[in-house]
Amino acid sequence: MKLLLTLLLWVNFAGTPDLASIRKMYSDVAKSESNAKEFVAKLAGVSSNDDKILVAYKAASILLDSKFEKKLSQKMDRFKEGAKLLEATIKSDPSNIEMRMIRLSVQEDVPGITGYKKNIKEDKKFITTYYASQGAALKDYLKDFVLQSKSFSEKEKQFVK
């Protein structure tokens, strides 16, 4: 028991954030540069060996943060880094609905010129199909996303109501 408690304290101090706090932050991350920077900092300690959902949020943080880069070349490099990480993470677990939601949330907000909008229909269909089989907490989180999403029409949003 003492070893478990020590391990839990070490993980928290090592910088690996808990999923609940990341979910809470994610809904407001695109509202300001300071929110984006705080989100990036919170996920800085996440590595590819961590929980894949946290890795997907880290990828989203890089993508969101890229829009605040001053130089176009840095903006594009950072964007490509985030997109590559997100795609690799989803490829490692393509049936993860939360990672699909993360990608959809990113793709619905990026400019068309990025060319990173190709999975919107696929991810919408996936979320619509598998929403009902999720646990209560994840369903609530997905519902909040769907209801504010620009990708779902009012008629399409009915499945979460």
Side-chain angles (χ1 to χ4, degrees), residues 105-159:
S105 71
V106 168
Q107 288 189 357
E108 72 181 12
D109 281 336
V110 297
I113 195 166
T114 64
Y116 193 56
K117 289 188 167 281
K118 64 186 183 295
N119 305 101
I120 292 175
K121 286 182 183 177
E122 169 192 342
D123 290 342
K124 275 177 52 179
K125 184 175 174 37
F126 190 90
I127 291 168
T128 304
T129 302
Y130 295 103
Y131 172 80
S133 64
Q134 304 306 306
L138 185 53
K139 279 173 87 169
D140 284 346
Y141 183 63
L142 292 168
K143 178 181 179 179
D144 289 344
F145 167 73
V146 169
L147 291 176
Q148 63 78 43
S149 172
K150 297 181 255 179
S151 297
F152 292 90
S153 69
E154 287 306 312
K155 185 178 179 184
E156 289 172 324
K157 292 177 182 182
Q158 296 306 307
F159 77 96

Side-chain angles (χ1 to χ4, degrees), residues 4 13 15 33 43 53 55 61 67 73 95 101 107 114 133 136 147-148 151 157 160:
L4 180 61
F13 286 117
E33 183 174 0
L43 291 158
I53 295 172
V55 176
S61 77
K67 75 179 182 180
S73 62
S95 63
M101 182 224 67
Q107 288 189 357
T114 64
S133 64
L147 291 176
Q148 63 78 43
S151 297
K157 292 177 182 182
V160 298

Side-chain angles (χ1 to χ4, degrees), residues 5-161:
L5 182 58
T6 302
L7 183 60
L8 287 172
L9 287 171
W10 181 82
V11 167
N12 284 337
F13 286 117
T16 304
D18 68 291
L19 188 55
S21 68
I22 293 302
R23 284 176 176 164
K24 190 176 231 177
M25 288 179 79
Y26 192 63
S27 61
D28 293 328
V29 77
K31 292 181 179 174
S32 72
E33 183 174 0
S34 64
N35 288 2
K37 297 291 185 193
E38 182 182 349
F39 195 62
V40 169
K42 182 106 173 163
L43 291 158
V46 172
S47 75
S48 58
N49 297 327
D50 288 319
D51 179 330
K52 293 299 180 199
I53 295 172
L54 288 176
V55 176
Y57 280 112
K58 180 175 183 155
S61 77
I62 295 167
L63 283 156
L64 292 165
D65 190 48
S66 71
K67 75 179 182 180
F68 300 110
E69 291 290 342
K70 303 298 182 233
K71 294 183 179 176
L72 183 59
S73 62
Q74 291 173 332
K75 187 181 293 258
M76 291 304 294
D77 288 347
R78 193 96 166 114
F79 186 88
K80 288 176 187 174
E81 174 191 354
K84 183 178 177 184
L85 181 59
L86 184 54
E87 290 304 315
T89 305
I90 290 172
K91 187 176 182 181
S92 75
D93 188 4
S95 63
N96 187 297
I97 195 169
E98 188 165 356
M99 292 190 305
R100 296 289 195 104
M101 182 224 67
I102 294 166
R103 180 170 65 186
L104 177 58
S105 71
V106 168
Q107 288 189 357
E108 72 181 12
D109 281 336
V110 297
I113 195 166
T114 64
Y116 193 56
K117 289 188 167 281
K118 64 186 183 295
N119 305 101
I120 292 175
K121 286 182 183 177
E122 169 192 342
D123 290 342
K124 275 177 52 179
K125 184 175 174 37
F126 190 90
I127 291 168
T128 304
T129 302
Y130 295 103
Y131 172 80
S133 64
Q134 304 306 306
L138 185 53
K139 279 173 87 169
D140 284 346
Y141 183 63
L142 292 168
K143 178 181 179 179
D144 289 344
F145 167 73
V146 169
L147 291 176
Q148 63 78 43
S149 172
K150 297 181 255 179
S151 297
F152 292 90
S153 69
E154 287 306 312
K155 185 178 179 184
E156 289 172 324
K157 292 177 182 182
Q158 296 306 307
F159 77 96
V160 298
K161 294 182 179 180

